[in-house]
Amino acid sequence: DKAIVEDLLFALYKNQAAAGLHVGELGVVLKACNKVLEHDSFDVKSLYRRGMVYYRQDQADLAMKDWKQVLRLDPDNDDAKKMLRKLDEDATKAEEMKKRMFKGIESKKAKGEADT
């Protein structure tokens, strides 16, 4: 009986995480996913959803860790593959932006020096 109740409880946590992610309640999602993962550290859906929370909180390193674990457990998981590609794209865009900003600063410095 206790095992049945426990299974139902963790099913509820999983549903709470799914619903919370849908409406943007990231704290609720994180708490529910962590509860499930304390019970079953191999729960792919909870790992993926927790990764989504981390991603939305700009914690790319933690998101990547969870999604890589998802792929170790489920190598064909297209959602995790997609989000890892998105992380790579985000990193590339950030690097390009940083280069443009640095180039702009250097250009202004050079112009300022030329004016003197």
Side-chain angles (χ1 to χ4, degrees), residues 17-67:
L21 194 57
H22 186 69
V23 298
E25 292 289 336
L26 302 183
V28 169
V29 178
L30 189 59
K31 184 176 178 181
C33 288
N34 284 336
K35 287 283 189 185
V36 173
L37 292 166
E38 286 171 14
H39 176 71
D40 177 6
S41 62
F42 301 110
D43 187 83
V44 170
K45 287 184 179 181
S46 295
L47 284 164
Y48 176 79
R49 290 176 182 140
R50 187 173 70 179
M52 290 300 295
V53 170
Y54 291 145
Y55 178 77
R56 291 182 183 177
Q57 293 177 333
D58 293 325
Q59 297 183 63
D61 53 333
L62 295 174
M64 182 183 297
K65 181 180 174 188
D66 278 352
W67 293 331

Side-chain angles (χ1 to χ4, degrees), residues 1-109:
D1 285 346
K2 185 177 179 181
I4 293 171
V5 171
E6 211 171 76
D7 287 345
L8 286 173
L9 179 63
F10 288 105
L12 289 172
Y13 282 131
K14 290 178 191 182
N15 288 335
Q16 183 182 37
L21 194 57
H22 186 69
V23 298
E25 292 289 336
L26 302 183
V28 169
V29 178
L30 189 59
K31 184 176 178 181
C33 288
N34 284 336
K35 287 283 189 185
V36 173
L37 292 166
E38 286 171 14
H39 176 71
D40 177 6
S41 62
F42 301 110
D43 187 83
V44 170
K45 287 184 179 181
S46 295
L47 284 164
Y48 176 79
R49 290 176 182 140
R50 187 173 70 179
M52 290 300 295
V53 170
Y54 291 145
Y55 178 77
R56 291 182 183 177
Q57 293 177 333
D58 293 325
Q59 297 183 63
D61 53 333
L62 295 174
M64 182 183 297
K65 181 180 174 188
D66 278 352
W67 293 331
K68 284 184 176 184
Q69 179 66 6
V70 167
L71 290 179
R72 279 192 283 279
L73 298 168
D74 178 9
D76 297 323
N77 190 299
D78 289 333
D79 292 329
K81 288 178 186 177
K82 177 181 157 189
M83 291 311 298
L84 285 169
R85 280 193 304 271
K86 183 146 179 51
L87 278 179
D88 284 341
E89 291 168 8
D90 291 352
T92 300
K93 286 178 187 176
E95 188 62 32
E96 289 171 0
M97 183 179 285
K98 193 165 58 172
K99 285 179 183 177
R100 283 194 304 267
M101 288 175 57
F102 184 72
K103 188 176 180 180
I105 291 169
E106 290 299 311
S107 176
K108 286 179 183 180
K109 275 185 172 179

